[in-house]
């Protein structure tokens, strides 16, 4: 079991930086490309959601990202000190509703709920802690 | 899993029967999706609603990319057009299936097949 820990600033440019570090880590750990692809997607959707929606004070915050290879897949933990948000309870929109409204908000959440399993959430001392597991086996 | 930017080129011509092809290469994420959006809006603003998006050179699409297609498809079809995808391979195609985007968007192996499907639509 190997672990990658990153501290990200709450700005979108960080997506590129963690993407490069993540790709290198998953490659070194021999994670198959299909699983690595889904892991990257789930992390991007989680982190972008935090950057775009968790903070409203105009200040830069830090987001902690923890990725570990485990038997059967890859576990992801994302921590932030933004507004409470439980991705398990949020209702992802149906695709047909997005088409009808011409909007795409919530699509990232739908992707997280579809691609990850064992999604868990804790609110501890004013911090969000989301854990997701992306399995080798395609959902 | 390369981490790159994105290249978008637009082909419009009579040999495609009035269908425009958006050829996309690279990595379609939150930081790059705006370039595809700009290219697509450029077509829509000119009243071009028959569009093939060739994704053969794309190795990653996040919700920022898929959201462009999902968010605009109704407007495009309301103008008697369509946006058809082509060339998706490997992991991108797997996600397309997993997320059930195939229930909304038509996908073809090649851009030529997608263009031919427009001709078939017109003949029907």
């Amino acid at each position: 079991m190997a672990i990658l820990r990153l501290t990200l600033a709450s700005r979108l440019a960080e997506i590129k930086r963690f993407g490069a570090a993540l790709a290198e880590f998953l490659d070194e750990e021999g994670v198959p490309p299909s699983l690595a692809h889904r892991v990257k997607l789930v992390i991007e959707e989680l982190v972008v959601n935090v950057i775009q929606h968790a903070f409203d004070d105009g200040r830069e915050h830090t987001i902690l990202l923890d990725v570990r290879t485990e038997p059967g897949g890859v576990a992801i933990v994302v921590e932030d000190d933004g507004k409470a948000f439980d991705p398990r309870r949020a209702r992802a929109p149906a695709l047909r509703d997005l088409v009808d409204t011409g909007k795409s908000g919530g699509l990232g959440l739908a992707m997280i709920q579809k691609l990850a399993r064992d999604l868990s959430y804790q609110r501890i001392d004013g911090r969000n802690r989301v854990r997701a597991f992306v399995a080798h086996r395609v959902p | 899993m390369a981490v790159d930017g994105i290249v978008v080129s637009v082909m419009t011509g009579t040999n495609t029967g009035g269908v425009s092809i958006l050829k996309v290469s690279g990595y379609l994420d939150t930081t790059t999706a705006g370039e595809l959006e700009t290219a697509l809006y450029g077509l829509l603003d000119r009243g071009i609603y028959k569009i093939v998006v060739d994704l053969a050179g794309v190795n990653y699409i996040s919700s920022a990319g898929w959201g462009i297609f999902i968010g605009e498809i109704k407007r495009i079809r309301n103008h008697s057009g369509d946006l058809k995808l082509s060339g998706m391979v490997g992991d991108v195609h797997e996600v397309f299936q997993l997320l059930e985007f195939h229930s909304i968007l038509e996908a073809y192996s090649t851009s030529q097949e997608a263009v031919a499907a427009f001709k078939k639509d017109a003949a029907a």
Side-chain angles (χ1 to χ4, degrees):
Chain A
M1 190 171 72
I3 302 173
L4 171 70
R5 285 204 172 103
L6 292 173
T7 301
L8 310 172
S10 56
R11 50 187 142 87
L12 289 176
E14 290 286 83
I15 302 289
K16 284 274 182 275
R17 187 170 71 84
F18 89 65
L22 179 69
E24 188 179 336
F25 170 74
L26 296 175
D27 189 49
E28 283 175 0
E29 292 306 309
V31 172
S34 165
L35 175 58
H37 189 93
R38 284 179 279 125
V39 167
K40 171 69 170 62
L41 273 174
V42 171
I43 293 175
E44 180 181 332
E45 302 302 345
L46 286 170
V47 171
V48 168
N49 195 52
V50 170
I51 293 171
Q52 292 183 330
H53 303 295
F55 311 113
D56 52 15
D57 59 5
R59 290 172 39 225
E60 188 164 281
H61 293 250
T62 56
I63 301 163
L64 305 180
L65 174 64
D66 181 311
V67 184
R68 61 184 72 199
T69 53
E70 292 184 355
V74 175
I76 300 158
V77 175
V78 176
E79 279 189 35
D80 67 85
D81 63 348
K83 288 182 284 187
F85 177 73
D86 183 347
R88 299 168 311 166
R89 291 177 183 248
R91 188 162 166 264
L95 277 183
R96 183 54 63 183
D97 290 341
L98 293 177
V99 170
D100 287 344
T101 58
K103 293 178 179 170
S104 58
L107 186 56
L109 180 63
M111 291 179 72
I112 293 166
Q113 292 178 350
K114 194 83 177 181
L115 296 174
R117 69 177 206 209
D118 301 335
L119 202 57
S120 67
Y121 172 78
Q122 292 173 293
R123 180 79 178 173
I124 306 168
D125 296 333
R127 297 182 63 81
N128 297 303
R129 186 177 193 275
V130 175
R131 185 185 186 279
F133 185 79
V134 183
H136 274 286
R137 198 168 176 171
V138 174
Chain B
M1 193 167 58
V3 179
D4 292 312
I6 188 173
V7 177
V8 183
S9 57
V10 184
M11 288 184 285
T12 53
T14 51
N15 59 340
T16 56
V19 178
S20 292
I21 300 174
L22 273 180
K23 192 173 175 60
V24 191
S25 301
Y27 201 83
L28 196 44
D29 68 4
T30 309
T31 64
T32 62
E35 293 183 45
L36 172 62
E37 196 169 46
T38 299
L40 179 62
Y41 287 175
L43 293 177
L44 301 183
D45 288 347
R46 286 154 54 200
I48 296 170
Y49 293 101
K50 292 181 179 175
I51 301 162
V52 171
V53 181
D54 184 344
L55 297 170
V58 174
N59 47 38
Y60 179 92
I61 307 179
S62 74
S63 67
W66 293 116
I68 295 170
F69 306 140
I70 297 294
E72 293 301 329
I73 192 67
K74 184 176 181 183
R75 170 157 72 125
I76 291 169
R77 288 179 179 155
N78 281 348
H79 286 84
S80 304
D82 200 7
L83 183 152
K84 302 180 193 292
L85 306 178
S86 71
M88 279 184 289
V89 291
D91 301 325
V92 171
H93 190 259
E94 181 182 89
V95 171
F96 176 78
Q97 295 287 345
L98 280 174
L99 274 296
E100 299 177 4
F101 291 131
H102 56 82
S103 66
I104 306 293
L105 300 162
E106 290 180 23
Y108 297 85
S109 299
T110 65
S111 56
Q112 290 87 348
E113 286 178 37
V115 169
F118 272 106
K119 290 176 183 166
K120 199 179 279 184
D121 292 347

